[in-house]
């Protein structure tokens, strides 16, 4: 481990490493923390109210794991340990009511914990129950609740850890996970200036090594088969990064169209608080947007969630929101709906319009999400607009539109299909 500084620099200097493509300067990663925390609170509430189903599918836990899986560079397959496998009766948190309650109490105690020692005690208590199939895969949920206390955990991270530390830790054991955590915390503390308080950085290093997307030292010791595998992984990583850049460009394009339309209709407009530095076709969002986000009549946490909505239109010179838009590419449509519903249920005065903007290929997905009972049975009306419609009609709407109702010309709702 004498050359760990060199390994960390190799990791940070690789523009295609997860450090640069996932951990640093990634708006979607930062948004995920708030969304996942909200989802965990819903899991707890569902278990308390006996609304949690006896299957993973369509549960609030599925939503949480899907949101985590969207951090695809590191968390592909994160949901697999939680799928209900009826033949094996694992993980035994769906049909066994006592185990279900224990899991809910574990999550509640962890989310409310004021120190990492409290969470460790909760892990030890959960482990003592020996709930079949419920192991340290839960640590990836803990990471998004307490990112400076607990590293995420999966096979790739474990493999990288074992290679880096010349260890033989095993998957599926909370005891092994806690030992891994102690080692990573110690390493992270010694190299904090090169890494981060957020343990995603050092976990990402283990992930890179574990997936053989990063080699420590030279590759002279590799067999031909291993070298071919390494080269395939590099090609795969480059393809994933190109696809992510294309998706991000699409997202920025749709935000730009919405900002442009809102401004042309006479509204004050703003993108999500962490998107103001973006631009599309040389047009900076900050030049179109209002200088300062207005104070809203709600608590700080709710305001921070509302500020993450992709585009907002305000009545000129006021804090009255008229239009709220969530642009969803490959990410969870439901997480966008949650942000819109936070706005609706906290400060709505009835004059707002809510839209989800989606790729044409995701129309079935948005219909499915808008048909969720919690959304369908509320008074909140969310319409959706296809990327192709927004792109094709942006200039015409800017030219001929007089108020926000012009958006209905290109919008659809589940009641009008």
């Amino acid at each position: 481990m004498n050359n760990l500084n060199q390994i960390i620099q190799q990791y940070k200097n690789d523009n295609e490493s997860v450090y640069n493509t996932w951990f640093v300067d990634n708006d979607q990663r930062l948004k995920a923390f708030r969304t996942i925390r909200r989802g965990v609170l819903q899991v707890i509430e569902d278990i308390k109210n006996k609304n949690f189903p006896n299957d993973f599918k369509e549960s609030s836990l599925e939503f949480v794991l899907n949101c985590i899986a969207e951090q695809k560079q590191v968390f592909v397959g994160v949901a697999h340990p939680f799928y209900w496998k009826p033949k094996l009766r694992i993980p035994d948190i769906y049909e066994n009511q006592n185990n279900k309650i224990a899991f809910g109490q574990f999550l509640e105690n962890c989310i409310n914990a004021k120190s990492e020692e409290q969470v460790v005690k909760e892990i030890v208590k959960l482990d003592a129950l020996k709930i079949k199939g419920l192991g340290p895969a839960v640590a990836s949920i803990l990471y998004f609740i307490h990112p400076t206390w607990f590293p995420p955990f999966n096979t790739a991270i474990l493999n990288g850890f074992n290679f880096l530390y010349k260890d033989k830790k095993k998957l599926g054991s909370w005891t092994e996970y806690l030992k891994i955590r102690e080692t990573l915390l110690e390493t992270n503390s010694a190299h904090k200036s090169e890494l981060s308080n957020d343990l995603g950085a050092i976990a990402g290093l283990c992930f890179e090594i574990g997936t053989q997307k990063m080699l420590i030292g030279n590759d002279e010791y590799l067999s031909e088969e291993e070298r071919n595998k390494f080269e395939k992984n590099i090609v795969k990583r480059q393809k994933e990064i190109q696809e992510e850049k294309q998706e991000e460009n699409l997202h920025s394009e749709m935000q730009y169209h919405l900002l442009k339309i809102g401004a042309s209709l006479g509204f004050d407009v703003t993108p999500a608080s962490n998107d103001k530095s973006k631009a599309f076709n040389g047009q900076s969002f900050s030049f179109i947007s209002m200088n300062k986000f207005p104070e809203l009549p709600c608590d700080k946490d709710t305001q921070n969630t509302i500020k993450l909505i992709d585009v907002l239109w305000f009545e000129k010179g006021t804090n009255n929101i008229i239009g709220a838009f969530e642009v969803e590419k490959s990410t969870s449509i439901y997480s966008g709906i949650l942000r819109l519903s936070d706005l609706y249920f906290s400060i709505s005065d009835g004059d707002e319009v809510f839209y989800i903007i989606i790729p044409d290929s995701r129309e079935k997905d948005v219909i499915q999400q808008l048909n969720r009972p919690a959304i369908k049975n509320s008074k909140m009306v969310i319409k959706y607009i296809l990327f192709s419609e927004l792109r094709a009609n942006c200039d015409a709407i800017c030219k001929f539109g007089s108020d926000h109702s012009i958006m209905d010309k290109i919008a659809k709702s589940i009641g009008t299909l």
Side-chain angles (χ1 to χ4, degrees), residues 72 238-248:
K72 49 184 173 287
Q238 289 171 341
K239 184 181 177 184
E240 287 171 352
I241 290 168
Q242 287 172 352
E243 288 171 351
E244 284 160 18
K245 284 180 180 175
Q246 287 172 354
E247 284 184 359
E248 191 54 40

Side-chain angles (χ1 to χ4, degrees), residues 318-417:
T318 75
N319 67 348
N320 182 34
I321 296 173
I322 298 298
F325 304 83
E326 273 291 328
V327 181
E328 302 300 345
K329 314 176 302 296
S330 60
T331 52
S332 167
I333 289 171
Y334 191 52
S335 62
I337 291 173
L338 279 179
R339 282 188 285 276
L340 296 180
S341 64
D342 270 344
L343 191 164
Y344 176 79
F345 288 111
S346 57
I347 62 169
S348 172
D349 57 10
D351 61 354
E352 305 90 355
V353 289
F354 302 95
Y355 295 95
I356 299 284
I357 317 300
I358 55 162
D360 297 33
S361 61
R362 299 203 69 192
E363 189 165 8
K364 285 183 180 177
D365 292 342
V366 79
I367 291 168
Q368 182 183 18
Q369 294 301 330
L370 292 176
N371 270 315
R372 278 176 175 259
I375 303 301
K376 200 172 181 182
N377 297 336
S378 73
K379 294 181 180 179
M380 184 181 185
V381 177
I382 301 177
K383 298 179 182 179
Y384 67 92
I385 298 172
L386 303 178
F387 279 12
S388 60
E389 291 286 343
L390 182 59
R391 180 187 288 124
N393 293 287
C394 176
D395 289 340
I397 291 172
C398 290
K399 185 174 182 179
F400 300 111
S402 57
D403 59 51
H404 66 72
S405 66
I406 188 71
M407 300 302 287
D408 285 342
K409 298 289 185 183
I410 60 170
K412 297 181 182 182
S413 65
I414 57 172
T416 58
L417 295 176

Side-chain angles (χ1 to χ4, degrees), residues 83-260:
Y83 291 161
W84 172 231
K85 303 165 188 72
K87 288 183 180 178
L88 300 173
R89 322 308 295 175
I90 59 172
D92 197 8
I93 54 171
Y94 301 110
E95 294 188 347
N96 186 307
Q97 294 304 309
N98 290 334
N99 289 346
K100 186 183 292 187
I101 291 167
F103 181 54
Q105 290 175 342
F106 167 80
L107 292 175
E108 183 174 59
N109 292 337
C110 288
I111 210 166
N112 292 329
K114 303 301 181 189
S115 72
E116 53 193 286
E117 290 78 15
Q118 286 177 269
V119 182
V120 171
K121 285 179 182 177
E122 292 301 323
I123 289 173
V124 172
K125 278 167 56 180
L126 185 71
D127 189 31
L129 296 174
K130 300 300 175 191
I131 298 174
K132 195 175 176 184
L134 190 70
V138 179
S140 291
I141 299 176
L142 291 182
Y143 166 70
F144 281 94
I145 298 173
H146 298 297
T148 61
W149 295 351
F150 292 88
F153 188 67
N154 57 29
T155 305
I157 292 170
L158 175 71
N159 289 343
F161 176 90
N162 282 337
F163 190 89
L164 186 61
Y165 293 93
K166 296 180 172 58
D167 208 331
K168 293 181 180 178
K169 294 287 189 292
K170 289 183 170 54
L171 202 65
S173 163
W174 274 114
T175 304
E176 297 279 76
Y177 168 77
L178 290 174
K179 290 176 182 175
I180 290 168
R181 172 182 174 269
E182 285 299 322
T183 302
L184 291 181
L185 282 173
E186 187 179 330
T187 304
N188 200 64
S189 179
H191 298 271
K192 197 172 285 184
S193 59
E194 291 89 26
L195 290 164
S196 169
N197 282 331
D198 184 324
L199 295 172
I202 193 167
L205 172 60
C206 293
F207 176 85
E208 285 285 287
I209 297 168
T211 52
Q212 291 192 347
K213 291 176 180 174
M214 173 180 166
L215 288 179
I216 299 174
N218 60 52
D219 66 350
E220 291 172 6
Y221 58 88
L222 292 181
S223 68
E224 186 175 349
E225 183 182 351
E226 288 171 328
R227 187 175 285 106
N228 288 338
K229 184 180 178 183
F230 174 70
E231 288 171 356
K232 282 181 182 178
N233 282 334
I234 294 298
V235 171
K236 182 183 176 185
R237 179 170 73 171
Q238 289 171 341
K239 184 181 177 184
E240 287 171 352
I241 290 168
Q242 287 172 352
E243 288 171 351
E244 284 160 18
K245 284 180 180 175
Q246 287 172 354
E247 284 184 359
E248 191 54 40
N249 288 339
L250 265 178
H251 190 274
S252 298
E253 179 192 351
M254 296 304 138
Q255 282 180 292
Y256 172 72
H257 292 322
L258 293 167
L259 292 167
K260 181 179 173 182

Side-chain angles (χ1 to χ4, degrees), residues 22-67:
W22 170 69
F23 185 75
V24 176
D25 197 25
N26 183 338
D27 295 339
Q28 292 304 319
R29 189 180 85 90
L30 297 176
K31 277 187 180 183
F33 282 94
R34 188 174 296 275
T35 305
I36 290 162
R37 185 180 181 87
R38 165 83 180 267
V40 171
L41 289 171
Q42 188 61 56
V43 173
I44 296 164
E45 197 65 25
D46 288 349
I47 292 174
K48 276 185 182 178
N49 296 331
K50 297 182 170 55
N51 293 327
F52 194 81
N54 61 358
D55 195 350
F56 178 75
K57 192 175 180 184
E58 297 184 358
S59 70
S60 46
L61 183 61
E62 181 187 29
F63 166 71
V64 169
L65 272 299
N66 285 348
C67 288

